[in-house]
């Protein structure tokens, strides 16, 4: 924050992203993304390095797998290593470094930085910076993997196609720059990836049971592909499939399928509302092995200061979202003509019209036309018929039968007028029948 | 309605129940139920005739079944006959005669009156009168099988124990008295029961495959027991187990288990709100074979005028009930101190306190104490720290970051005071900093 930065429009705690390895982009030269894609330049839009690692290498791996027998031990190892490198992303890159939702001792941080590198999704520093921008600018132009640009874009397109570095929202990563493990991993990223991504699995399977090739293909290449695709789902599937129990203004959604694929990162609507909660799933029966691992590390003394939002805050979000849905639903229903839009009718006109055969009933100062309902009345024709041309307020509300809520709703759809004098009609009626002066206020 | 009736307190379309067979109760003599149950008189409280038929006969049937081999055809017949006699109650006694939720041609009415008699639950006339009272006076003293008197009472107690005829609510059954099939069945009830309950199944299995004894025991006695217990569940289980999606002021509940047991009468919360709907289950995937049968009869020209409440009315009930639940939930949550209970604080005091180390932030005219939250702020310590002692309305609402709904909720729990001048604080601040006169209205 203290460093002045020419491009910063606001003193908002952010600065332009400073690559530590490559030389800085020349921000003045127009970027390729500023030109539309044509038949002549499309290959310049593709980020060939990323494409090679995300699509090319796995493709070669699948082809090579055809000639590589799958050893049972290697299969088990690949699965377990998939899980650990996945945790490197979910528990490490995501919940620890991007969101600081808990604190980890140095040994755990080293472990997570190592297995996280094995997932081959960029350095912690690069990943967290993008992820913080994703949270801060969700669904906007500044979101690096905005689902508004399409599901495929949010899944993989944002890496396969070159991105304008100026586009991505600015975030503060000063805390990451202060973590020596993060900085080390960033500076030695290629070495880390090579070792954790392929050499380590190859060594493990090779020294363990002599399956060097299987360790390379299954424990390395194919496992990387699976981990990548699984964790990419947090950016695509989790913004596209499922419910929005906490807020529906943005795209994040909760779905068990996403959770199953992403080691528990599928409760993403919750996560975007409560990003610094170390949990993504808040119910014990929901699948969130990342949360379970963090909790276990806490028991082992490796993790501490696990952050949780108060249940009160969580429930408030839920209540408000439900209210919103309910209000939307309510607006689609017919609740009867609002009273202020009804004509005002005099008692005598009401009685006269009822005598002329219209099925009019006065209840609570409102006149209802029940003509078409008489034959359907659950309490029988006779009873409802006995109320025509009369004030049935009392008999409708318990005098004869205490009608249900449903009956009151139905009644309001039959409104046709408001009685002059409203609820005081009975006083007025009595006065009239006793031939006294009826006080009618004409307003 | 025209007949005057001494005991009728209101001209409400009802009259005292007139038994057509037995001589009328002497309403002046005190009824046994007016005396408390003691060791000396308990046997007088028991309705021995009912007890014999509901408990005694089935008991003998179960004992006899021990010596009666179960023929496969008899088992199939008993099951099918169980279903048809069950329909006699649900589609006939209940939805047709008690609620007139559809109209049936004479052949169908005769069929339903016949199989209904085979279920041995009293005549249509007697049953419907009690059932209408049950709807009209649900859960009150006048409800013949009020669940408020206990689950066992509502299931079977109301038949096993003598009831005071004066207690049961009055209802209008003039329409039933006009149906010759209903009147015939009532007048020839004992004959109908004997024939449809036991003689017919015995004849069927006897003449069909020579299993007279099995027809009597399984097709007759035991099947009667099962039908009875199943349909009794509408009065007990359906007022005790399940959800209340439409209204929770009374006891009726919706549950799939009750529906499975009662041929679809388990959506009882719906049914009490919309009693003249020929459906109990409104979703196609819910189990309501009674509804399916009525629909089939309509296709066959046997039933017509199937009544349905408008979907709009049904949804309205659901919305209101959800709203009620939501309001209850909302009331249990902490939404922060209401503004009117907060002290009014002057801008200068606010700034001074913040300078003294209190983490005070002004947002939208309200002062918040964020001291304990700084270390937990998902956006980092630095950013939230930069707002202390300042008006952060704009930066909180998008200037730096457009906080989520959850963040706004959290913020309101941190309220500690209202700023003198409220939202106009900025105008006032500027005026102050420019050393002009600040207009402070002391009220
Ligand atoms: C004026 C418009 C009326 C409407 C819209 C209406 C509507 C309804 C509805 C929807 C029910 C079904 C049960 C319930 O929802 O509570 C019902 C039942 C009943 N109504 Fe009405 N009603 C009207 C007037 C009356 C009047 C004037 C009387 C009496 C004089 C009456 C007596 C009854 C009785 C006794 C029942 C109970 C029937 C039973 O559940 O067996 N209703 N009415
Ligand atoms: C004054 C009380 C504040 C509260 C209660 C608060 C609360 C929160 C919460 C709950 C989040 C999580 C994401 C969300 O819910 O939207 C958040 C994120 C954030 N806050 Fe605040 N905040 C406060 C003040 C500020 C201030 C003054 C700033 C800036 C100067 C700020 C900047 C941010 C940023 C940039 C994020 C995004 C972090 C990310 O998602 O990566 N906050 N804040
Ligand atoms: Fe997201
Ligand atoms: Fe996140
Ligand atoms: Fe009921
Ligand atoms: Fe009913």
């Amino acid at each position: 924050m203290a460093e002045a930065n020419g491009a910063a429009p606001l003193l908002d705690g952010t600065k332009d992203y400073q690559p530590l390895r490559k030389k800085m982009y020349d921000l003045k030269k127009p970027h390729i993304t500023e030109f539309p894609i044509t038949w002549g330049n499309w290959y310049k839009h593709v980020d060939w390095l990323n494409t090679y690692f995300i699509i090319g290498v796995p493709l070669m791996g699948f082809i090579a797998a055809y000639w590589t027998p799958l050893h049972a031990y290697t299969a088990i190892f690949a699965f377990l290593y998939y899980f650990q490198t996945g945790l490197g992303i979910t528990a490490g890159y995501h919940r620890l470094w991007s969101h600081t939702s808990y604190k980890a001792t140095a040994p755990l941080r080293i472990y997570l930085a190592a297995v996280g590198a094995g997932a081959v999704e960029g350095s912690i520093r690069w990943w967290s910076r993008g992820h913080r921008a994703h949270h801060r600018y969700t669904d906007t132009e500044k979101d690096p993997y905005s689902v508004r640009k399409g599901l495929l874009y949010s899944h993989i397109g944002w890496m396969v196609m070159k991105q304008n570095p100026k586009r991505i929202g600015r975030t503060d990563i000063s805390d990451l720059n202060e973590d020596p493990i993060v900085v080390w991993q960033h500076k030695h990223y290629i070495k880390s990836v090579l070792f954790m991504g392929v050499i380590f699995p190859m060594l493990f399977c090779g020294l363990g049971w002599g399956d060097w090739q299987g360790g390379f293909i299954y424990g390395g290449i194919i496992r990387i592909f699976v981990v990548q695709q699984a964790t990419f789902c947090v950016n695509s599937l989790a913004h596209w499939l499922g419910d929005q129990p906490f807020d529906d203004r943005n795209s994040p959604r909760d779905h068990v399928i996403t959770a199953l694929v992403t080691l528990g990162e599928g409760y993403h609507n919750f996560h975007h509302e409560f990003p610094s909660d170390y949990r993504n799933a808040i119910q014990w029966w929901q699948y969130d092995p990342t949360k379970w691992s963090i909790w276990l590390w806490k028991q082992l003394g490796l993790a501490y200061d696990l952050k949780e939002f108060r249940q009160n805050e969580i429930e408030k979000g839920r209540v408000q979202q439900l209210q919103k849905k309910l209000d939307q639903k309510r607006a689609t229903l017919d609740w009867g003509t609002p009273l202020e839009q009804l004509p005002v009718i005099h008692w005598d006109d009401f009685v006269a019209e009822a005598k002329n055969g219209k099925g009019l009933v006065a209840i609570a100062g409102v006149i209802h036309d029940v003509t078409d309902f008489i034959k359907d009345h659950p309490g029988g024709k006779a009873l409802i018929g006995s109320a025509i041309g009369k004030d049935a307020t009392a008999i409708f509300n318990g005098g004869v039968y205490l009608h249900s809520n449903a009956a009151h709703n139905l009644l309001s759809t039959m409104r046709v007028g408001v009685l002059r004098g409203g609820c005081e009609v009975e006083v007025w009626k009595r006065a009239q029948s006793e031939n006294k002066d009826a006080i009618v206020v004409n307003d």
Side-chain angles (χ1 to χ4, degrees), chain A:
Chain A
M1 281 238 306
E3 289 169 64
N5 186 310
L10 254 172
L11 208 62
D12 65 352
T14 63
K15 31 192 169 180
D16 286 323
Y17 181 67
Q18 310 276 347
L20 292 182
R21 287 172 280 122
K22 301 185 245 177
K23 68 173 183 351
M24 196 150 162
Y25 307 99
D26 184 350
L27 288 171
K28 273 153 216 146
K29 232 174 66 186
H31 192 266
I32 177 68
T33 53
E34 285 164 34
F35 303 100
I37 303 181
T38 63
W39 282 111
N41 76 357
W42 69 269
Y43 63 91
K44 286 192 202 161
H45 275 272
V46 173
D47 186 325
W48 290 106
L49 195 75
N50 278 353
T51 308
Y52 179 73
F53 278 113
I54 297 174
I55 299 173
V57 174
L59 214 65
M60 293 188 281
F62 277 109
I63 294 170
Y66 185 79
W67 292 279
T68 313
L70 179 58
H71 191 290
Y73 286 2
T74 307
I76 294 169
F77 168 79
F79 177 78
L80 294 177
Y81 197 48
Y82 148 77
F83 208 91
Q84 292 307 309
T85 47
L87 273 185
I89 300 297
T90 60
Y93 280 44
H94 188 216
R95 301 196 197 180
L96 176 62
W97 282 298
S98 299
H99 293 301
T100 60
S101 70
Y102 65 101
K103 293 210 178 73
T105 55
L108 180 58
R109 289 209 319 278
I110 293 172
Y111 177 72
L112 290 171
V115 287
V120 197
E121 302 192 9
S123 73
I124 298 165
R125 196 170 171 277
W126 174 86
W127 198 101
S128 297
R129 172 258 187 169
H131 192 74
R132 286 185 186 177
H134 165 68
H135 271 267
R136 187 159 169 184
Y137 305 103
T138 314
D139 293 345
T140 70
E141 185 57 27
K142 292 180 171 182
D143 177 351
Y145 20 86
S146 167
V147 79
R148 295 274 150 90
K149 299 190 175 179
L151 188 65
L152 194 66
Y153 177 86
S154 67
H155 189 73
I156 203 166
W158 67 279
M159 287 171 290
V160 166
M161 304 303 288
K162 277 197 190 124
Q163 301 301 316
N164 189 336
K166 277 181 280 185
R167 179 178 74 77
I168 294 163
R170 296 145 56 90
T171 49
D172 174 22
I173 52 164
S174 49
D175 55 324
L176 301 180
N177 289 336
E178 281 158 22
D179 184 335
I181 295 164
V182 173
V183 173
W184 190 94
Q185 196 231 38
H186 189 77
K187 289 207 172 134
H188 305 89
Y189 182 64
I190 302 293
K191 268 171 286 185
S192 311
V193 159
L194 276 179
F195 184 77
M196 293 306 297
V198 288
I199 299 174
F200 171 73
M202 213 164 85
L203 281 177
F204 200 99
C205 302
L207 297 178
W209 47 93
D211 188 14
W212 297 87
Q213 190 184 341
F216 176 66
I217 296 295
Y218 296 109
I221 310 295
I222 291 184
R223 185 225 12 109
I224 292 174
F225 175 77
V226 173
V227 171
Q228 284 180 343
Q229 295 300 319
T231 43
F232 294 168
C233 282
V234 182
N235 297 331
S236 53
L237 214 56
H239 283 261
W240 185 76
L241 172 76
D243 301 329
Q244 305 193 295
F246 299 101
D247 196 13
D248 64 2
R249 273 166 279 202
N250 291 327
S251 61
R253 284 156 193 277
D254 282 6
H255 204 287
V256 62
I257 290 182
T258 320
L260 288 173
V261 171
T262 60
L263 304 184
E265 303 277 33
Y267 304 97
H268 207 62
N269 191 259
F270 175 83
H271 173 66
H272 269 261
E273 284 290 294
F274 306 101
S276 57
D277 198 305
Y278 84 98
R279 307 164 299 173
N280 261 17
I282 46 173
Q283 309 292 350
W284 64 265
W285 43 265
Q286 289 171 325
Y287 181 75
D288 188 352
T290 302
K291 172 182 82 178
W292 302 333
S293 304
I294 297 171
W295 182 88
L296 197 72
W297 295 331
K298 184 189 164 182
Q299 311 309 312
L300 300 173
L302 294 167
Y304 54 103
D305 278 4
L306 276 51
K307 284 189 205 159
E308 274 188 25
F309 272 78
R310 267 172 71 205
Q311 192 63 23
N312 183 59
E313 300 309 305
I314 297 171
E315 292 305 330
K316 267 153 66 178
R318 219 195 281 273
V319 161
Q320 286 162 326
Q321 181 58 25
L322 281 175
Q323 185 66 60
K324 201 164 159 183
K325 290 275 156 225
L326 214 53
D327 290 344
Q328 284 165 6
K329 177 86 208 179
R330 196 195 316 272
T332 66
L333 298 172
D334 167 17
W335 296 87
T337 318
L339 291 182
E340 59 276 16
Q341 290 173 23
L342 291 174
V344 176
I345 299 177
H346 277 263
W347 176 259
D348 296 333
D349 298 339
F350 158 65
V351 175
E353 280 208 66
K355 278 217 179 92
N356 286 339
K358 263 206 170 174
L360 298 185
V361 178
I363 294 176
V366 178
I367 297 173
H368 305 87
D369 186 345
V370 304
T371 318
D372 298 333
F373 180 65
I374 296 175
K375 64 171 190 331
D376 292 326
H377 179 234
K381 280 178 223 169
L383 284 184
I384 191 171
S386 71
I388 289 173
K390 300 200 187 128
D391 186 320
T393 312
I395 50 177
F396 187 84
N397 286 303
V400 172
Y401 173 59
L402 181 59
H403 281 82
S404 71
N405 185 42
H408 281 88
N409 282 337
L410 191 63
L411 190 67
S412 40
T413 65
M414 302 178 188
R415 289 172 182 165
V416 291
V418 175
L419 213 54
R420 163 71 66 220
C423 291
E424 290 143 314
V425 64
E426 297 207 351
V427 181
W428 181 61
K429 243 172 65 188
R430 197 173 337 108
Q432 228 187 16
S433 66
E434 290 167 19
N435 249 334
K436 294 183 187 150
D437 276 333
I439 304 146
V440 185
V441 185
N442 284 301
D443 48 16

